[in-house]
Coordinates of all heavy atoms in Angstrom, one line a residue:
T517 N 36.2 34.1 10.3 CA 37.2 33.1 10.7 C 38.2 32.8 9.7 O 39.2 32.2 10.0 CB 36.5 31.8 11.1 OG1 35.8 31.3 9.9 CG2 35.5 31.9 12.2
A518 N 38.0 33.3 8.5 CA 39.0 33.0 7.4 C 40.3 33.7 7.6 O 40.3 34.9 8.0 CB 38.3 33.3 6.0
T519 N 41.4 33.1 7.2 CA 42.7 33.7 7.3 C 43.0 34.4 5.9 O 42.3 34.1 4.9 CB 43.8 32.6 7.5 OG1 43.8 31.7 6.4 CG2 43.5 31.9 8.8
P520 N 43.9 35.3 5.9 CA 44.3 36.0 4.6 C 44.7 35.0 3.5 O 44.3 35.2 2.3 CB 45.4 36.9 5.0 CG 45.2 37.2 6.4 CD 44.6 35.9 7.0
D521 N 45.4 34.0 3.9 CA 45.8 33.0 2.9 C 44.6 32.2 2.3 O 44.5 32.0 1.1 CB 46.7 32.0 3.5 CG 48.1 32.6 3.8 OD1 48.4 33.6 3.2 OD2 48.8 32.0 4.7
Q522 N 43.6 31.9 3.1 CA 42.4 31.3 2.7 C 41.6 32.2 1.7 O 41.1 31.7 0.7 CB 41.5 30.8 3.8 CG 42.1 29.7 4.6 CD 41.2 29.3 5.8 OE1 40.7 30.2 6.5 NE2 41.0 28.0 6.0
V523 N 41.5 33.5 2.1 CA 40.8 34.4 1.3 C 41.4 34.5 -0.1 O 40.7 34.6 -1.2 CB 40.7 35.8 1.9 CG1 40.1 36.8 1.0 CG2 39.9 35.7 3.2
E524 N 42.7 34.5 -0.2 CA 43.5 34.6 -1.4 C 43.3 33.4 -2.3 O 43.3 33.5 -3.6 CB 44.9 34.9 -1.2 CG 45.8 35.2 -2.4 CD 47.2 35.6 -2.0 OE1 47.5 35.9 -0.9 OE2 48.0 35.6 -3.0
T525 N 43.3 32.2 -1.7 CA 43.4 31.0 -2.6 C 42.0 30.4 -2.7 O 41.8 29.5 -3.6 CB 44.3 30.0 -1.9 OG1 43.8 29.7 -0.6 CG2 45.7 30.5 -1.9
F526 N 41.0 30.7 -1.9 CA 39.7 30.0 -2.0 C 38.9 30.4 -3.2 O 38.8 31.5 -3.6 CB 38.9 30.4 -0.7 CG 37.6 29.7 -0.7 CD1 37.5 28.4 -0.2 CD2 36.4 30.3 -1.1 CE1 36.3 27.7 -0.1 CE2 35.2 29.7 -1.0 CZ 35.1 28.4 -0.5
I527 N 38.4 29.4 -3.8 CA 37.5 29.5 -5.0 C 36.1 29.0 -4.7 O 36.0 27.8 -4.3 CB 38.1 28.8 -6.2 CG1 39.5 29.3 -6.6 CG2 37.1 28.9 -7.4 CD1 40.1 28.5 -7.8
P528 N 35.1 29.9 -4.7 CA 33.7 29.4 -4.4 C 33.3 28.3 -5.3 O 33.7 28.2 -6.5 CB 32.9 30.7 -4.6 CG 33.8 31.8 -4.5 CD 35.1 31.3 -5.0
F529 N 32.5 27.4 -4.7 CA 32.0 26.2 -5.5 C 30.6 25.9 -5.1 O 30.1 26.4 -4.0 CB 32.9 25.0 -5.3 CG 33.1 24.6 -3.9 CD1 32.2 23.7 -3.3 CD2 34.2 25.1 -3.1 CE1 32.4 23.3 -2.0 CE2 34.3 24.7 -1.8 CZ 33.4 23.8 -1.2
S530 N 29.9 25.1 -5.9 CA 28.5 24.7 -5.6 C 28.4 23.7 -4.5 O 29.2 22.8 -4.4 CB 27.9 24.1 -6.9 OG 26.6 23.6 -6.6
C531 N 27.5 24.0 -3.6 CA 27.2 23.1 -2.5 C 25.8 22.7 -2.4 O 25.2 22.5 -1.4 CB 27.7 23.7 -1.1 SG 26.9 25.3 -0.8
A532 N 25.2 22.6 -3.6 CA 23.7 22.3 -3.7 C 23.5 20.9 -3.3 O 22.5 20.6 -2.7 CB 23.2 22.6 -5.1
K533 N 24.4 20.0 -3.6 CA 24.3 18.6 -3.3 C 25.0 18.2 -2.0 O 25.8 19.0 -1.5 CB 24.8 17.7 -4.4 CG 24.0 17.9 -5.7 CD 24.5 16.9 -6.8 CE 23.6 17.1 -8.1 NZ 24.1 16.2 -9.1
Q534 N 24.7 17.1 -1.5 CA 25.2 16.7 -0.1 C 26.8 16.6 -0.1 O 27.4 17.0 0.8 CB 24.7 15.4 0.3 CG 25.0 15.0 1.7 CD 24.4 16.0 2.7 OE1 23.3 16.5 2.5 NE2 25.1 16.2 3.8
A535 N 27.3 16.1 -1.2 CA 28.8 16.1 -1.3 C 29.4 17.5 -1.2 O 30.4 17.7 -0.5 CB 29.2 15.4 -2.6
G536 N 28.8 18.4 -1.9 CA 29.3 19.8 -1.8 C 29.2 20.4 -0.5 O 30.0 21.2 0.0
K537 N 28.1 20.1 0.2 CA 27.9 20.6 1.5 C 28.9 20.1 2.5 O 29.5 20.8 3.3 CB 26.5 20.2 2.0 CG 25.3 20.9 1.3 CD 24.0 20.4 1.9 CE 22.8 21.1 1.1 NZ 21.5 20.6 1.6
Q538 N 29.2 18.8 2.4 CA 30.2 18.2 3.2 C 31.6 18.8 3.0 O 32.4 19.1 3.9 CB 30.3 16.7 3.0 CG 31.2 16.0 4.0 CD 30.8 16.1 5.4 OE1 29.7 16.0 5.8 NE2 31.8 16.5 6.3
R539 N 31.9 19.0 1.7 CA 33.2 19.6 1.3 C 33.3 21.1 1.9 O 34.4 21.5 2.4 CB 33.4 19.6 -0.2 CG 34.7 20.3 -0.7 CD 34.7 20.4 -2.2 NE 35.7 21.2 -2.7 CZ 35.8 21.7 -3.9 NH1 34.8 21.4 -4.8 NH2 36.8 22.4 -4.3
C540 N 32.2 21.8 1.8 CA 32.2 23.2 2.3 C 32.4 23.2 3.8 O 33.1 24.0 4.3 CB 30.8 23.8 2.0 SG 30.7 25.6 2.4
T541 N 31.8 22.2 4.5 CA 32.0 22.2 6.0 C 33.5 21.8 6.3 O 34.1 22.4 7.2 CB 31.1 21.1 6.6 OG1 29.7 21.4 6.3 CG2 31.3 21.0 8.1
D542 N 34.1 20.9 5.5 CA 35.4 20.5 5.7 C 36.5 21.6 5.6 O 37.5 21.7 6.3 CB 35.8 19.3 4.8 CG 35.0 18.1 5.1 OD1 34.5 18.0 6.2 OD2 34.9 17.2 4.2
V543 N 36.2 22.6 4.6 CA 37.1 23.7 4.4 C 36.8 24.9 5.3 O 37.4 25.9 5.2 CB 37.1 24.1 2.9 CG1 37.6 22.9 2.1 CG2 35.8 24.6 2.5
G544 N 35.8 24.7 6.2 CA 35.4 25.8 7.0 C 34.6 26.9 6.4 O 34.5 28.0 6.9
G545 N 33.9 26.6 5.3 CA 33.1 27.6 4.6 C 31.7 27.6 5.0 O 31.3 26.8 5.9
V546 N 30.9 28.4 4.4 CA 29.5 28.5 4.7 C 28.7 28.3 3.4 O 29.0 29.0 2.4 CB 29.1 29.9 5.3 CG1 27.6 30.0 5.5 CG2 29.9 30.2 6.6

Side-chain angles (χ1 to χ4, degrees):
T517 60
T519 64
D521 291 340
Q522 287 179 319
V523 173
E524 185 176 345
T525 60
F526 183 80
I527 300 177
F529 57 88
S530 173
C531 57
K533 297 184 179 180
Q534 189 61 35
K537 292 179 182 178
Q538 186 61 47
R539 179 187 168 194
C540 186
T541 302
D542 294 340
V543 300
V546 177

